[in-house]
Amino acid sequence: TSLQQLDTSDPDAQFSPLEKQLILMSTIKNLKDIGKKVGGHLRVVSTAMVYFKRFYCQNSISDCDPALLGAAALLLASKIEECPLNAKNIHQICLGKETPSSQNYDTKDVTTLFPYPLQQILECELYLMEQLNFNLTVFHSHTSLMTYVKDAELDKSLYQ
Amino acid sequence: MPQTPSLFSLSASEAIFRSVEWDKYKEIVEIGSGAYGRVFSAVNRQTNELVAIKTIKLANDEEGIPISVIREITHLRSLKHDNIVGLREVFINDDGCTLCMVMEYVPHDLSGIVNGLNNVLDEAFVKSVMQQLLSALACIHDSGSLHCDLKTSNVFIHANGQVKLGDFNLSRKVHPEEFGVVQHFSRNIITLWYRPPELLVDQFGSSRYGPEVDMWSMGCIFAELLLRSPLFPGNTEVEQLFKIIQLLGTANQRNWPDASKHQTYRDHFSNKVIPNTLRLKFKDFADYSPQIVDLLEKLLKLDPRERISAREALKHPWFNQAPLPKDTSVILPSYLTPFNENWVKQQIKLRQEEAEKQNPKKRKEYPKASTSSSCYNHHELENSYSSCKKKIKQY
């Protein structure tokens, strides 16, 4: 049937839908950890997640490694949200370091966990921007929730 | 990254950029270039619209796409207004490292009009420019953004008098304070001449700022339109502050109570009392129409909290008085002879060469510009460009 034909032309045929879901979900969880270690704000991480999901709505996993795209999404999101993160720091955390430092680090470093040099993150950032069609503004519900809580005049300890 | 070296060595008249998107345009002519890349004018094959294509070469540095480029794209994308430059499309060139932004082509800018046009700028023209600018600014501020680089060379203008605000390289979104995002509030925003006093005194850039910073720049632009020369042409931050205080007087408990909190202000002005001479300087205009000076005074308030907002300014009675903005008699030249920043630069160069020919020894003495003449002061303009460069470097 036509459905099966579609399936065989799918570049992700090697992954089952469940596997795909798992790969993306684990990368998103990873993205949170990286964001935390790099010192990115919650808002940056949320925006990066939205970019990540939007990208894989249109592209397949075999087009671009989710780990690489996650790093690029974080870098782009930090610029949009006006609290820029250092690209080198993001790269170092992706490589598996606990805290970024300038010692023992080269932009061409790769590990088995993350086999990409810094330059590839930057190229991927541009690619991501193009794939998002340059629509980069993301609206979050955080702001309105905070305003809502403030308007409700709840005790500060309740929501912190 | 694949890079073809021959790409930039060819002359502009040849079709050097190749991609599907470039094929949509014809009559591509280079009209300018800068540190970021080159600017072309072109005609859309389908709509016959004249557009400007800005190419931005992405350098292979270690921070990826410059944040200023991202700012410009996001702001132009989200802001749709008659008086804001329209962004038609964005694409990446086939070489993979040149970003192209297609924008509507607006021939003149306000610095060219102020310095180059020999006509008298009548009240209706100034009113029309101010009204359109304020409505664009109100739209920007309503969306929670700041422009942060308002100056005459960023205000573009069509031959029919329609004003278009452009250059959003420094503009930023301001999140509500309670959200607690650690945003970095750079102090190096706004070209020095148009920078408000609260940024000049605040040495460490610790305080947050808001839409008021744009309103101060609006006041400076307004005064420049009236005087036809910049209002506060300072060379350094301290000189800039002195120029402002000389005109508006020293701060006291009534007009700017926060001033004494800042070390810089205390260092220079703690024991001085300078009166406000704004009304004296604009006496001619005050006699003509008192509302002009009233609006100017409200825009140029030392205390940022007292400064008028864009929405309030639009309701100012001056805009409803005769002559109405549509009654202007100023005729702008067609797009073939653009009055813009480049043109002013060329004129400065020409005049300098002439001056050197006439009296080669005295070339450092520039003629002093009287405040109301249409002739501009070379020295001041030169400084403006060096300060612009400085700003870019600092940034």
Side-chain angles (χ1 to χ4, degrees):
Chain A
T1 62
S2 62
L3 200 70
Q4 273 171 335
Q5 272 172 349
L6 261 179
D7 262 2
T8 48
S9 62
D10 184 4
D12 290 346
Q14 48 179 322
F15 303 109
S16 75
L18 185 68
E19 277 173 331
K20 257 193 268 182
Q21 202 90 48
L22 277 175
I23 291 172
L24 291 184
M25 273 170 67
S26 70
T27 331
I28 283 186
K29 197 181 162 291
N30 212 359
L31 196 67
K32 256 190 214 166
D33 293 344
I34 295 172
K36 227 179 220 168
K37 281 182 192 165
V38 159
H41 194 268
L42 177 69
R43 199 186 173 93
V44 175
V45 181
S46 321
T47 307
M49 284 184 192
V50 175
Y51 289 162
F52 188 85
K53 284 180 179 165
R54 278 191 199 167
F55 181 86
Y56 284 112
C57 281
Q58 295 172 13
N59 301 278
S60 75
I61 312 183
S62 39
D63 278 349
C64 187
D65 185 344
L68 177 63
L69 192 93
L74 208 57
L75 182 61
L76 186 61
S78 76
K79 287 177 188 166
I80 295 288
E81 298 298 342
E82 292 288 344
C83 19
L85 298 171
N86 191 325
K88 283 184 190 166
N89 288 355
I90 294 179
H91 186 225
Q92 286 181 62
I93 298 291
C94 287
L95 291 175
K97 281 192 188 174
E98 277 302 308
T99 47
S101 69
S102 52
Q103 285 167 348
N104 306 328
Y105 167 69
D106 185 56
T107 52
K108 291 192 180 84
D109 279 355
V110 290
T111 56
T112 44
L113 191 72
F114 190 80
Y116 309 101
L118 178 66
Q119 188 58 42
Q120 275 207 296
I121 299 184
L122 305 182
E123 274 172 38
C124 189
E125 186 193 15
L126 193 64
Y127 178 58
L128 171 65
M129 205 156 100
E130 193 184 16
Q131 288 297 311
L132 293 173
N133 217 354
F134 301 98
N135 292 323
L136 302 173
T137 315
V138 176
F139 293 97
H140 290 296
S141 47
H142 301 98
T143 339
S144 41
L145 182 66
M146 291 307 262
T147 333
Y148 173 76
V149 172
K150 205 179 175 188
D151 286 350
E153 290 176 351
L154 288 173
D155 195 24
K156 228 182 174 183
S157 58
L158 282 174
Y159 62 86
Q160 266 187 342
Chain B
M1 201 171 270
Q3 205 173 10
T4 44
S6 62
L7 195 74
F8 290 94
S9 59
L10 288 172
S11 76
S13 54
E14 292 168 69
I16 43 168
F17 290 102
R18 279 176 209 290
S19 75
V20 184
E21 283 86 359
W22 279 99
D23 290 342
K24 280 191 232 165
Y25 302 96
K26 60 179 181 185
E27 294 170 34
I28 299 167
V29 182
E30 183 166 353
I31 49 172
S33 62
Y36 47 83
R38 298 154 78 175
V39 186
F40 299 87
S41 75
V43 178
N44 189 320
R45 280 180 204 276
Q46 274 188 341
T47 59
N48 272 330
E49 191 198 16
L50 194 63
V51 293
I53 305 179
K54 193 167 158 186
T55 65
I56 300 152
K57 233 186 131 193
L58 302 171
N60 287 333
D61 64 353
E62 286 168 347
E63 284 303 326
I65 308 161
I67 192 164
S68 59
V69 176
I70 294 184
R71 277 183 192 140
E72 182 147 35
I73 294 175
T74 45
H75 282 98
L76 287 179
R77 265 287 163 95
S78 59
L79 296 167
K80 293 267 183 287
H81 190 272
D82 281 349
N83 299 115
I84 293 172
V85 172
L87 182 66
R88 298 287 179 256
E89 69 173 330
V90 188
F91 58 87
I92 293 168
N93 204 30
D94 274 0
D95 62 354
C97 64
T98 314
L99 197 73
C100 303
M101 293 168 70
V102 182
M103 290 183 280
E104 69 183 303
Y105 179 74
V106 193
H108 313 295
D109 72 25
L110 215 51
S111 76
I113 299 290
V114 167
N115 293 313
L117 210 61
N118 288 323
N119 300 19
V120 178
L121 298 182
D122 59 10
E123 193 186 345
F125 179 81
V126 175
K127 204 180 271 186
S128 144
V129 169
M130 284 301 286
Q131 194 174 37
Q132 294 180 62
L133 265 182
L134 283 169
S135 87
L137 208 56
C139 167
I140 295 170
H141 290 170
D142 284 353
S143 78
S145 308
L146 306 178
H147 185 281
C148 288
D149 198 15
L150 281 172
K151 56 177 172 184
T152 47
S153 56
N154 283 344
V155 177
F156 302 98
I157 188 160
H158 271 300
N160 62 8
Q162 196 185 17
V163 171
K164 297 272 179 179
L165 190 57
D167 202 341
F168 285 73
N169 280 333
L170 292 174
S171 63
R172 52 172 306 143
K173 277 217 151 49
V174 177
H175 300 303
E177 198 152 2
E178 56 265 36
F179 190 62
V181 181
V182 190
Q183 288 180 291
H184 84 152
F185 272 75
S186 165
R187 210 167 54 91
N188 280 324
I189 55 157
I190 313 184
T191 312
L192 192 59
W193 292 2
Y194 304 91
R195 203 177 290 170
E198 69 266 22
L199 292 176
L200 290 166
V201 294
D202 183 11
Q203 255 182 326
F204 306 106
S206 49
S207 59
R208 298 174 60 103
Y209 43 82
E212 318 85 47
V213 294
D214 280 343
M215 298 319 292
W216 175 273
S217 313
M218 277 302 294
C220 295
I221 291 175
F222 188 25
E224 194 169 334
L225 279 170
L226 297 172
L227 298 173
R228 305 217 34 182
S229 72
L231 184 63
F232 303 122
N235 289 324
T236 61
E237 288 197 7
V238 175
E239 194 191 333
Q240 184 72 25
L241 195 59
F242 265 99
K243 287 206 151 102
I244 292 171
I245 297 296
Q246 262 165 19
L247 185 67
L248 297 176
T250 39
N252 53 34
Q253 277 305 312
R254 202 165 38 80
N255 63 18
W256 195 15
D258 288 348
S260 50
K261 283 182 195 162
H262 298 287
Q263 183 67 38
T264 326
Y265 188 82
R266 281 202 304 265
D267 285 352
H268 296 292
F269 301 104
S270 57
N271 293 321
K272 290 177 195 155
V273 178
I274 302 168
N276 187 331
T277 51
L278 182 75
R279 280 192 179 267
L280 205 67
K281 180 157 184 169
F282 289 88
K283 198 172 170 299
D284 296 347
F285 300 103
D287 293 344
Y288 183 57
S289 161
Q291 296 292 358
I292 293 181
V293 184
D294 184 64
L295 178 60
L296 190 63
E297 218 169 29
K298 282 178 175 155
L299 288 167
L300 294 177
K301 284 263 191 228
L302 284 175
D303 190 348
R305 280 171 299 186
E306 279 183 37
R307 231 167 273 156
I308 196 169
S309 77
R311 283 256 171 257
E312 284 162 12
L314 276 172
K315 288 183 199 143
H316 194 272
W318 183 53
F319 291 111
N320 295 323
Q321 271 176 3
L324 290 173
K326 61 175 170 30
D327 298 333
T328 176
S329 61
V330 176
I331 298 159
L332 299 174
S334 74
Y335 69 88
L336 293 170
T337 50
F339 277 114
N340 55 28
E341 217 182 346
N342 285 337
W343 182 86
V344 176
K345 275 185 203 168
Q346 273 175 10
Q347 291 296 310
I348 291 174
K349 221 177 163 186
L350 277 177
R351 291 209 182 187
Q352 263 179 3
E353 279 169 8
E354 254 176 48
E356 272 179 42
K357 266 183 207 165
Q358 281 171 2
N359 40 359
K361 278 176 196 169
K362 284 184 183 174
R363 68 178 161 195
K364 278 196 176 161
E365 285 176 24
Y366 297 103
K368 264 198 177 170
S370 63
T371 46
S372 58
S373 82
S374 65
C375 169
Y376 51 86
N377 189 328
H378 299 177
H379 191 57
E380 287 172 355
L381 273 168
E382 267 187 353
N383 288 334
S384 98
Y385 293 123
S386 62
S387 74
C388 286
K389 273 177 204 159
K390 253 184 225 161
K391 188 199 75 184
I392 292 165
K393 268 183 198 163
Q394 282 171 350
Y395 175 66

